[in-house]
Amino acid sequence: MAGVIDIVVNLFGPEEVAAGQTGLDAGFMEQVRMPPAMRGGVGMDDYLRKMDDAGIEHSLLIAVRAGDPRMRGSFDIPYEQVARWCDAHPDRFSGLAGADPTRGMKQLRDLERAVELGFVGVHAYPHWFSLPPDAARWYPIYAKCCELDLPFMLQVGQNLVYSRELRLPSVARPILLDQVAIDFPDLALIGIHVGTPWADEMIAMAWKHPNVFIGIDAYAPRYLPPSLVRYMDSYGSHKVLFGTDWPVVDPGRAVEELLAHGLRVDSHDRVTRLNALSVFRKLSARLGLAPA
């Protein structure tokens, strides 16, 4: 199957919901209009059927690290929990290693372990640590990603209130990737969640820096800013990657609504598949494909 690649997917099974490994409360689920029937979790067998129905070939699963483990409300998903699914379905899933700058050298060693587990990239939530992307504490992680050839994706733009018990500030405006991209020109930086409400700022960073890319996840494609739709169907077609942020956006809806934008065939293929294979070189190797 040569289909869509979804670069932002969260584990949202009954196991993760029961263990408090989602960070989402009932208020957030209501805000994003999550169907009540799925709020207790969706098992991976059911999610695989969703992938099949949507024409999604491969999903990148996040081993989330959300906040200093000593902080109330923080949570994580162990790398091994994600690796279990990647090992069971190597043609359908690859892992993304969560990054926590409070763990110091342990985090750097954990990234080496992630490569051993077959993970293909790194994921971070700056707001969970109240640390903007250009903060010094992220820099050792960026350097390690360069050493290990791991792209670094991070949420940019605003973050919502995922839990009423812990309101987190929005610390990652896209413009803050500017200095990072300058200091680490060999590091692929992917600003996910569109950059809303600063999508034009995110476009500016991707246009300026060869190593900066945009993830169009977490918002239903029908609501993508017109400037971003124009960008990914023209001179930015090689800089935008498809994602859902499942369970926030249903994969079938995301694929259908992206198609409705009527992108040129080559632009659509780049956004939904080829750019992911180009940016995540370890993914190409894992699937036995040449980088796009």
Side-chain angles (χ1 to χ4, degrees):
M1 180 189 300
V4 175
I5 295 174
D6 185 344
I7 70 162
V8 189
V9 174
N10 296 280
L11 289 181
F12 190 70
E15 173 187 353
E16 287 76 29
V17 173
Q21 292 177 313
T22 69
L24 310 179
D25 69 6
F28 177 83
M29 293 180 185
E30 186 67 27
Q31 185 175 10
V32 301
R33 301 174 185 173
M34 183 182 292
M38 66 176 281
R39 296 182 186 183
V42 176
M44 291 303 282
D45 288 340
D46 289 334
Y47 176 68
L48 279 165
R49 282 191 284 272
K50 284 182 173 291
M51 288 176 61
D52 290 340
D53 291 344
I56 293 177
E57 173 189 359
H58 204 83
S59 295
L60 305 189
L61 304 179
I62 306 168
V64 176
R65 289 191 168 175
D68 185 327
R70 298 166 294 184
M71 182 178 70
R72 180 180 63 85
S74 66
F75 70 97
D76 71 359
I77 292 180
Y79 291 2
E80 288 73 18
Q81 193 168 330
V82 164
R84 184 173 77 235
W85 291 110
C86 297
D87 291 344
H89 303 278
D91 57 330
R92 308 306 302 275
F93 299 129
S94 295
L96 295 172
D100 174 357
T102 72
R103 303 192 192 199
M105 287 300 299
K106 183 180 186 305
Q107 176 62 75
L108 304 187
R109 289 190 289 269
D110 286 349
L111 294 184
E112 294 175 351
R113 172 63 177 152
V115 172
E116 294 173 357
L117 291 171
F119 285 21
V120 300
V122 175
H123 171 280
Y125 283 135
H127 54 276
W128 269 97
F129 304 96
S130 296
L131 284 174
D134 57 354
R137 294 187 76 178
W138 291 109
Y139 269 47
I141 298 175
Y142 296 148
K144 195 66 176 178
C145 287
C146 289
E147 176 187 328
L148 297 174
D149 191 24
L150 294 172
F152 188 96
M153 72 163 61
L154 69 162
Q155 180 173 342
V156 292
Q158 71 167 348
N159 52 275
L160 301 180
V161 177
Y162 307 110
S163 169
R164 294 303 189 272
E165 296 182 357
L166 185 63
R167 297 169 182 257
L168 303 167
S170 300
V171 299
R173 282 191 65 157
I175 195 68
L176 297 177
L177 297 179
D178 200 24
Q179 189 63 54
V180 180
I182 291 169
D183 291 338
F184 296 94
D186 297 328
L187 174 63
L189 292 162
I190 307 157
I192 61 172
H193 291 28
V194 180
T196 299
W198 302 288
D200 285 344
E201 198 170 277
M202 189 66 238
I203 292 170
M205 289 295 93
W207 178 78
K208 176 178 180 178
H209 297 290
N211 58 319
V212 174
F213 302 85
I214 306 173
I216 54 167
D217 63 296
Y219 295 89
R222 68 180 294 185
Y223 299 118
L224 290 175
S227 59
L228 180 54
V229 175
R230 288 194 298 272
Y231 179 71
M232 67 184 181
D233 198 28
S234 57
Y235 68 104
S237 64
H238 62 301
K239 300 303 291 288
V240 179
L241 291 79
F242 173 86
T244 61
D245 197 30
W246 165 261
V248 178
V249 180
D250 180 80
R253 176 184 181 180
V255 170
E256 180 180 342
E257 291 186 3
L258 185 62
L259 277 170
H261 282 298
L263 302 182
R264 294 177 301 170
V265 172
D266 60 334
S267 298
H268 185 271
D269 290 347
R270 285 185 176 277
V271 170
T272 58
R273 177 180 173 82
L274 299 179
N275 291 341
L277 294 175
S278 177
V279 173
F280 293 94
R281 289 189 287 268
K282 292 185 185 298
L283 173 60
S284 297
R286 181 178 176 86
L287 296 178
L289 302 171

